[in-house]
Amino acid sequence: MDKEEFKFSHAGICPVCEQSVQFTADGPYFRNTLYCSHCKTLPRHRALFHVLKSYCPNWRTSNIHESSPGWDYASQRLFNQCPGYVASQYDPNHPMGSVVPSPQMHAKKFRCEDLEKQTFGDGEFDVVITQDVFEHLFAPDKAVAEIARTLKPGGIFLCTVPIILKTKPSRRRAKLVNGQIVNSMPPEFHGNPVDPRGSIVTIDWGYDIVSYLQHHSGLSFVLAQMDNIDIGVRADLIEVLVGIKQPVFETA
């Protein structure tokens, strides 16, 4: 069947906008085509929000840091409904830690941060979110260690990343050598909200990302895999990684 002939529709409740909606797709690859009729989110956005509400039902009153949001409706909802929400982008044209006007129409400002070397203090956040960021990092070990440092005890890290290699080992596509990008595979780029050139893909991840992130952060990770068409969560590559910073218990 040609893509132009493919039509899909299913009624349900969207976890992001919390409306009764139709989930519709005009192509069989649901990750990029299964939209909510109200907020236009995709399956990975809805999977992320479903996990957020499960692990942090009081997210509206939490301190949340989202790194490199693309300003989909999920990020907009966090911005509009969570006073403790902070958005950051890596922009080397500004000093790290500075707050500058956002190029996106849905946000007034963002904070300049290098995810691998953040200026936030220890234990500032209840939740840290990255949506499809970790496939673009040159030093994901440093980034996840920094995320763990900035989380409060009991805080959570929610990460979406396309796990394209599944049971195969993760592989490097690009690395930095003396400040220069060295590619071991043909370069691949994804969209970047603050750079029209896009972001280079540095790693193709497999399921071993779970042990990798856990090893380099000290967080306890689980991999959430979901399939529930009634909430519009059905597609490939929409897993949500959940890293939990264990609370500190004082002994008598």
Side-chain angles (χ1 to χ4, degrees):
M1 180 181 292
D2 294 336
K3 180 180 177 180
E4 290 76 16
E5 299 174 351
F6 186 97
K7 296 293 181 183
F8 175 86
S9 181
H10 184 86
I13 305 293
C14 176
V16 181
C17 64
E18 298 180 337
Q19 302 294 312
S20 296
V21 300
Q22 290 288 324
F23 300 112
T24 61
D26 59 5
Y29 187 59
F30 280 6
R31 189 177 195 267
N32 293 335
T33 64
L34 186 62
Y35 285 97
C36 167
S37 60
H38 181 260
C39 67
K40 307 305 180 186
T41 51
L42 288 166
R44 68 178 176 86
H45 305 132
R46 298 188 288 270
L48 174 75
F49 233 86
H50 178 72
V51 172
L52 171 64
K53 292 192 287 187
S54 298
Y55 279 84
C56 186
N58 61 336
W59 61 269
R60 289 180 179 85
T61 57
S62 298
N63 291 327
I64 299 176
H65 169 213
E66 183 173 14
S67 173
S68 304
W71 293 112
D72 51 80
Y73 189 88
S75 297
Q76 293 174 41
R77 188 171 185 215
L78 291 170
F79 173 78
N80 289 322
Q81 297 190 19
C82 177
Y85 173 81
V86 177
S88 73
Q89 299 281 0
Y90 176 69
D91 187 344
N93 298 312
H94 301 280
M96 295 298 111
S98 63
V99 179
V100 299
S102 171
Q104 288 82 26
M105 61 181 293
H106 298 294
K108 296 179 180 179
K109 298 176 182 178
F110 69 85
R111 177 161 164 157
C112 293
E113 289 291 341
D114 181 347
L115 196 61
E116 298 168 2
K117 190 177 181 181
Q118 301 177 44
T119 66
F120 294 115
D122 296 349
E124 287 199 26
F125 300 107
D126 302 292
V127 182
V128 174
I129 296 172
T130 62
Q131 295 192 61
D132 288 16
V133 171
F134 264 69
E135 71 269 34
H136 301 294
L137 300 176
F138 288 102
D141 54 338
K142 295 180 180 178
V144 73
E146 278 288 89
I147 287 169
R149 178 184 66 79
T150 65
L151 280 173
K152 299 176 182 178
I156 60 171
F157 169 41
L158 302 181
C159 170
T160 67
V161 61
I163 304 178
I164 65 172
L165 294 182
K166 301 189 184 300
T167 57
K168 297 179 181 178
S170 299
R171 65 189 177 198
R172 273 278 179 182
R173 300 182 63 94
K175 60 182 179 180
L176 280 181
V177 178
N178 298 323
Q180 300 296 316
I181 297 175
V182 176
N183 294 295
S184 55
M185 301 179 67
E188 180 178 323
F189 293 84
H190 295 167
N192 184 329
V194 296
D195 190 341
R197 297 172 297 178
S199 295
I200 193 168
V201 177
T202 59
I203 302 175
D204 292 331
W205 288 106
Y207 290 136
D208 56 2
I209 189 176
V210 177
S211 57
Y212 177 94
L213 295 180
Q214 188 161 283
H215 173 75
H216 289 289
S217 67
L219 303 178
S220 298
F221 273 88
V222 296
L223 179 67
Q225 294 179 308
M226 292 161 281
D227 182 274
N228 185 345
I229 194 59
D230 290 335
I231 60 172
V233 177
R234 173 166 294 171
D236 193 19
L237 308 178
I238 61 168
E239 294 93 346
V240 181
L241 289 148
V242 184
I244 304 170
K245 186 170 184 175
Q246 297 300 322
V248 177
F249 296 101
E250 296 185 2
T251 58

